[in-house]
Amino acid sequence: MIYGYARVSTAFETTKDRNQTFDRQLMILKEHGVKEENIFCDRISGKTSTREREAFDKLMNIVLPGDEIVVSEMSRFSRSLTDLIHSLDTLIKRQIGIYFIKENMRISGSGLDPMNRLMIQLLGAFNEFERNIIAQRVHEGMQASKLKGTKLGRPQVISDETKQKIINDYISGISYRTLEVKYQISLPTLTKICKPYSNQRQK
């Protein structure tokens, strides 16, 4: 029996991007002869070990000796070299094969020969290195934006004009509760806006 496995990460992808990523993987798996009902999909953080994935665990409970698991690419199967080798050794012990489409590498359930093991270690190490470089570039980009004064995170939802009105009302003696209702703003946000002007508030 041939099974498929697909995974997308929740770390950097929007809902739309995740669906597109799944669609691409599903299309590739189907093109290589995997029936849709035999494809197992995980949507999970890339930092999570393969051994902690719900769909992957279900797949491991179904596969039998002589079956094969097809994956679009090695990075979809595992996020670290250690996890990759552990998962492959587990499959081989159970006489289950695996085929990585992008890398064009098929490993039979009979075992890993020295050349295949070397290739897997090299490819796995390269994928892991590439992910670390991307993460480092993202971090450096965020730090550079902060140094330039660029504000990160969600855009401001309260206009400066509204803020000034809130401050004026607060200084005039209007209570936080009244301000919450009037401007439909939470108490923590109101406190953050008004606290610097507490010494100007009318008694």
Side-chain angles (χ1 to χ4, degrees):
M1 182 73 73
I2 300 177
Y3 294 92
Y5 178 72
R7 179 186 61 78
V8 294
S9 173
T10 61
F12 303 108
E13 298 169 335
T14 63
T15 302
K16 181 179 179 182
D17 289 333
R18 288 202 299 266
N19 289 335
Q20 289 175 339
T21 304
F22 260 144
D23 288 344
R24 185 183 69 84
Q25 292 183 62
L26 293 177
M27 179 185 68
I28 293 172
L29 294 174
K30 290 175 185 177
E31 286 177 350
H32 284 77
V34 185
K35 295 181 180 179
E36 186 168 357
E37 60 266 26
N38 290 334
I39 298 176
F40 291 75
C41 303
D42 270 319
R43 177 176 282 125
I44 199 165
S45 167
K47 295 181 179 180
T48 304
S49 167
T50 304
R51 286 163 275 175
E52 299 173 13
R53 298 174 187 167
E54 184 178 354
F56 187 83
D57 289 341
K58 289 180 180 178
L59 176 57
M60 291 298 97
N61 289 330
I62 292 175
V63 288
L64 299 171
D67 290 341
E68 182 178 67
I69 299 172
V70 180
V71 190
S72 64
E73 56 186 282
M74 196 174 289
S75 63
R76 298 298 90 195
F77 182 69
S78 180
R79 293 289 295 181
S80 72
L81 179 58
T82 301
D83 199 27
L84 174 63
I85 296 299
H86 177 276
S87 299
L88 290 177
D89 285 340
T90 300
L91 291 173
I92 290 168
K93 287 177 182 178
R94 295 178 55 184
Q95 299 180 342
I96 297 161
I98 187 165
Y99 176 45
F100 299 113
I101 297 171
K102 180 180 178 180
E103 291 80 8
N104 192 26
M105 179 176 290
R106 175 171 269 114
I107 301 165
S108 70
S110 59
L112 268 175
D113 59 51
M115 183 56 69
N116 270 345
R117 183 173 288 273
L118 175 61
M119 289 299 298
I120 287 170
Q121 289 176 334
L122 290 173
L123 289 169
F126 176 78
N127 287 337
E128 193 170 349
F129 174 75
E130 187 177 35
R131 285 191 297 270
N132 289 337
I133 289 296
I134 292 172
Q136 182 180 350
R137 286 175 179 170
V138 171
H139 177 72
E140 289 174 350
M142 293 175 65
Q143 293 301 315
S145 295
K146 287 181 179 179
L147 290 175
K148 291 178 181 178
T150 303
K151 292 184 178 180
L152 303 175
R154 291 184 299 176
Q156 185 179 17
V157 294
I158 305 173
S159 68
D160 290 338
E161 182 181 357
T162 301
K163 279 187 177 181
Q164 191 57 56
K165 289 180 179 179
I166 293 171
I167 293 168
N168 291 340
D169 284 349
Y170 172 74
I171 291 175
S172 69
I174 295 177
S175 68
Y176 276 129
R177 177 56 186 161
T178 302
L179 292 174
E180 279 186 84
V181 175
K182 181 178 179 179
Y183 293 100
Q184 294 296 298
I185 297 175
S186 67
L187 180 58
T189 301
L190 281 172
T191 303
K192 184 177 180 181
I193 293 172
C194 300
K195 191 173 182 180
Y197 304 92
S198 58
N199 61 337
Q200 301 177 37
R201 182 175 170 81
Q202 295 180 9
K203 304 297 183 181

